[in-house]
C-alpha cells in the first residue's frame, strides 16, 4: 500500500502531485493551507494587512473550543506544559504587573495578547485529529506555503514602491528601512525556512542538483531581502545540523569535528576582530546593550523580581516600560531570554524553556518514522531554540505551538516500515 502511494512531491521549483491521485482527498491540504499560518501567528504583527491582522488577533479566541476539546479529549503529552505556561503567563503575570508597574487591570490583561497563540499547541492538535492529514499532505502544505512566502519576499523586494518603505513603525511591520541594513522585507518566514529544512533533509537522502540550487536561492533571498541576522544565522546552523544528522553512522564523528573546527576558528577570529565586530553590527546592538543595562538595574533593585518578573505594559495602558525603567525606548522582546525573565520571571522563562525542550524531544521521536517532513520539523524545533537568545520566545509563540502540534500528530501517524522509502520524500 505504501509503495503504491510513493512518489515525488517536488519537481524543480514547483509542486508535483499537488494535483493528487484520483481518490486522494484535497480538502485536508486546503484546510491546513488556510489555518496553519493563523495557528503559527504569522500575521499577528502585520498591520499592513488589516483583515489578516485582526483575524490573527482573534484566532486564539475563535479556536478556543478546539483548544478545550484537545485538552479534554486528546490529552497530547505537551498539554500539561502548555496549561502550566498559560496559567503563569496569562493568569499570574498580569497581576504582578499591576503591583510592580502600577499598571491598570485592563492594560495588564491586554499585555497578555501576544501569548495567546501558545494555545494553538492544543487548538491545532484538535484540527489535525479531525482532518487526519498524512505526512504527504503536510509536506504539500509546507511546499505551497513556502512558495507563497518566497514569492512575496522576492516580489516585494523587487517591485514594492519606495513610498512603502517610508512609513512609520505604526503603519508597517513588513517594509522596513534602517541605516545598517537598508531596505528589507520583514515577511513571516516560518514556512519558508521550514521548507529549506525539508529540501535539505531530502537532499541528503536523495542528492539532486536542483535541491541544492533551491536551498542556495532560498538563503540568498534571506540575505538580500529578509536581512534578519539572527534568523539567517539560525537557518544556516539548522541546515548544517540537518546535514550532520542525515549522515547516519558518521553523524557523531562529523558533529564532533565540526564543533572542534568552529571552536578553534572562533577564538582567533574573536581576537582579531575585537571591538570592530561589535561596531559592525550597528545601532541595534548598542540599543540592546542599553536596554539590557536598564533591565538588569531594575531587576537587581528588588531581587525577587528575578523570580516573579515584573509583567509588561502596552500602549493601551496608562504606563509604558520605558517610563518605568527610565529610558525612552525599552522593548523586552529585544533582549531574548533576559527579556523573558524581566517580564515573566525565572518561573516563566523556565516554563517556556521546558516547552522548547518538549518540542525538540517530541519532534525527535517523530523524526524516527523516516518521514522527511518529520525530520524538517525537528530541525525547526532546534532552530527556534538556536535563535531564542536574540528572538524572544514570547514574541511569536505560535511557531512553537505549531511545532508541538505537528510533532504530536506525526508521532501518531503510521510509521514507514524499515527499508521502504518515505512516502513524503521529494
Amino acid at each position: 500500500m505504501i509503495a503504491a502511494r510513493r512518489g515525488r512531491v517536488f519537481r524543480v521549483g514547483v509542486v508535483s502531485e499537488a494535483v493528487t491521485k484520483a481518490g486522494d482527498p484535497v480538502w485536508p491540504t486546503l484546510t491546513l493551507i488556510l489555518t496553519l499560518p493563523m495557528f503559527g501567528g504569522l500575521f499577528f504583527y502585520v498591520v499592513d494587512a488589516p483583515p489578516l491582522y485582526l483575524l490573527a488577533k482573534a484566532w486564539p479566541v475563535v479556536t478556543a473550543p478546539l483548544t478545550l476539546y484537545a485538552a479534554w479529549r486528546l490529552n497530547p503529552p505537551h498539554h500539561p506544559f502548555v496549561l502550566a505556561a498559560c496559567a503563569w503567563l496569562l493568569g499570574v503575570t498580569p497581576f504582578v504587573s499591576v503591583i510592580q508597574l502600577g499598571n491598570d487591570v485592563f492594560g495588564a490583561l491586554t499585555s497578555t495578547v501576544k501569548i495567546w497563540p501558545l494555545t494553538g499547541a492544543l487548538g491545532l492538535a484538535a484540527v489535525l485529529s479531525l482532518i487526519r492529514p498524512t505526512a504527504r499532505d503536510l509536506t504539500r502544505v509546507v511546499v505551497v506555503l513556502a512558495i507563497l512566502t518566497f514569492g512575496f519576499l522576492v516580489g516585494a523586494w523587487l517591485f514594492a514602491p519606495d513610498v512603502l518603505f517610508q512609513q512609520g513603525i505604526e503603519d508597517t511591520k513588513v517594509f522596513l528601512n534602517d541605516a545598517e541594513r537598508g531596505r528589507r522585507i520583514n515577511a513571516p518566514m516560518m514556512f519558508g525556512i521550514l521548507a529549506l529544512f525539508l529540501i535539505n533533509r531530502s537532499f541528503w537522502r536523495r542528492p539532486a542538483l536542483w535541491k541544492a540550487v533551491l536551498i542556495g536561492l532560498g538563503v540568498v533571498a534571506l540575505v538580500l531581502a529578509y536581512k534578519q541576522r539572527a534568523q539567517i544565522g539560525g537557518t544556516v546552523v539548522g541546515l548544517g545540523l540537518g546535514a550532520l544528522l542525515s549522515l547516519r553512522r558518521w553523524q557523531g564523528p562529523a558533529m564532533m569535528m565540526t564543533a572542534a573546527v568552529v571552536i578553534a576558528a572562533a577564538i582567533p577570529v574573536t581576537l582579531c576582530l575585537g571591538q570592530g565586530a561589535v561596531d559592525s553590527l550597528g545601532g541595534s546592538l548598542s540599543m540592546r546593550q542599553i536596554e539590557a543595562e536598564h533591565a538588569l538595574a531594575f531587576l537587581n533593585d528588588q531581587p525577587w523580581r528575578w523570580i516573579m518578573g515584573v509583567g509588561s505594559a502596552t500602549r493601551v495602558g496608562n504606563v509604558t516600560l520605558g517610563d518605568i525603567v527610565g529610558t525612552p525606548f525599552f522593548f523586552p522582546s529585544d533582549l531574548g531570554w533576559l527579556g523573558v525573565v524581566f517580564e515573566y520571571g525565572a518561573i516563566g522563562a523556565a516554563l517556556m524553556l521546558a516547552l522548547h525542550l518538549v518540542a525538540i524531544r517530541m519532534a525527535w521521536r517523530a523524526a524516527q518514522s523516516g518521514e522527511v517532513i518529520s525530520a524538517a520539523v525537528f530541525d525547526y524545533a532546534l532552530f527556534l531554540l538556536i535563535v531564542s537568545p536574540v528572538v524572544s520566545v514570547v514574541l511569536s509563540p505560535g511557531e512553537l505551538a505549531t511545532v508541538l502540534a505537528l510533532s504530536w500528530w506525526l508521532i501518531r501517524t503510521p510509521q514507514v516500515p524499515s527499508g521502504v522509502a518515505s512516502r513524503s520524500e521529494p
Side-chain angles (χ1 to χ4, degrees):
M1 291 292 293
I2 294 176
R5 297 185 61 186
R6 208 165 52 210
R8 291 180 178 265
V9 178
F10 296 99
R11 291 183 198 260
V12 181
V14 297
V15 184
S16 136
E17 288 194 6
V19 281
T20 60
K21 296 181 179 180
D24 198 4
V26 178
W27 65 271
T29 301
L30 295 178
T31 301
L32 289 174
I33 288 173
L34 295 174
T35 59
L36 271 185
M38 289 299 163
F39 280 112
L42 302 193
F43 302 103
F44 211 71
Y45 300 102
V46 183
V47 296
D48 309 70
L52 293 176
Y53 171 76
L54 295 175
L55 180 58
K57 296 291 187 183
W59 191 256
V61 178
V62 172
T63 57
L66 292 171
T67 301
L68 296 175
Y69 168 78
W72 182 258
R73 296 292 301 274
L74 299 179
N75 195 27
H78 59 267
H79 105 276
F81 296 92
V82 173
L83 294 180
C86 288
W88 181 263
L89 303 178
L90 302 178
V92 176
T93 300
F95 297 100
V96 173
S97 76
V98 171
I99 298 171
Q100 281 292 304
L101 304 180
N103 206 354
D104 61 275
V105 175
F106 177 75
L109 293 175
T110 303
S111 69
T112 67
V113 171
K114 64 184 178 183
I115 301 297
W116 291 0
L118 190 60
T119 61
L122 299 177
L124 178 56
V127 171
L128 293 171
S129 69
L130 292 173
I131 66 176
R132 307 188 67 80
T134 64
R136 184 176 166 191
D137 293 328
L138 292 174
T139 302
R140 276 196 217 102
V141 170
V142 170
V143 172
V144 171
L145 290 175
I147 291 173
L148 295 174
T149 299
F150 277 108
F152 174 79
L153 177 69
V154 175
W157 184 62
L158 292 174
F159 303 113
D162 291 340
V163 66
L164 292 178
F165 296 90
Q166 307 306 318
Q167 302 176 88
I169 196 66
E170 297 83 8
D171 302 314
T172 182
K173 295 294 189 295
V174 176
F175 303 98
L176 305 182
N177 193 357
D178 56 65
E180 290 84 17
R181 287 171 283 185
R183 293 179 18 155
R184 57 192 177 96
I185 308 297
N186 187 32
M189 291 302 302
M190 176 182 182
F191 292 102
I193 294 173
L194 181 57
L196 291 181
F197 293 156
L198 178 71
I199 302 171
N200 182 54
R201 286 291 192 150
S202 175
F203 172 83
W204 290 104
R205 294 191 185 190
R206 292 183 178 178
L209 178 60
W210 66 266
K211 297 176 185 178
V213 170
L214 282 182
I215 294 171
L217 290 176
V219 173
V220 168
L222 293 178
V223 171
L224 294 181
Y226 186 52
K227 300 183 182 179
Q228 294 281 49
R229 293 173 292 220
Q231 287 89 334
I232 294 171
T235 301
V236 173
V237 172
L239 292 170
L241 290 175
L244 291 175
L245 292 172
S246 298
L247 295 177
R248 294 180 175 86
R249 62 177 180 173
W250 296 105
Q251 63 184 233
M255 293 182 72
M256 293 175 61
M257 183 177 298
T258 302
V261 170
V262 170
I263 294 172
I267 296 174
V269 168
T270 302
L271 293 176
C272 291
L273 295 181
Q275 186 62 36
V278 174
D279 295 338
S280 68
L281 294 176
S284 62
L285 181 58
S286 301
M287 182 63 68
R288 283 186 169 91
Q289 290 175 327
I290 295 172
E291 290 175 333
E293 291 172 0
H294 282 86
L296 291 170
F298 194 75
L299 291 173
N300 290 331
D301 187 54
Q302 296 183 26
W304 73 273
R305 290 173 176 169
W306 282 93
I307 300 174
M308 301 292 292
V310 301
S312 188
T314 66
R315 56 188 175 185
V316 302
N318 57 359
V319 295
T320 67
L321 288 178
D323 297 332
I324 296 297
V325 302
T327 181
F329 302 101
F330 185 80
F331 304 101
S333 59
D334 290 341
L335 302 178
W337 286 103
L338 175 59
V340 178
V341 172
F342 183 89
E343 290 187 272
Y344 304 104
I347 296 175
L351 289 169
M352 290 302 297
L353 178 59
L355 272 177
H356 278 75
L357 296 178
V358 168
I360 291 173
R361 181 175 179 273
M362 291 177 60
W364 174 256
R365 284 184 58 196
Q368 305 314 301
S369 67
E371 297 285 359
V372 177
I373 183 63
S374 300
V377 170
F378 171 74
D379 293 343
Y380 201 85
L382 290 178
F383 165 83
L384 291 177
L385 191 60
I386 289 168
V387 301
S388 64
V390 177
V391 182
S392 177
V393 297
V394 295
L395 186 62
S396 54
E399 295 187 17
L400 173 62
T402 301
V403 168
L404 285 164
L406 289 176
S407 300
W408 168 77
W409 180 250
L410 287 166
I411 291 173
R412 290 168 58 96
T413 54
Q415 295 191 359
V416 178
S418 178
V420 178
S422 168
R423 59 183 171 174
S424 71
E425 185 173 343

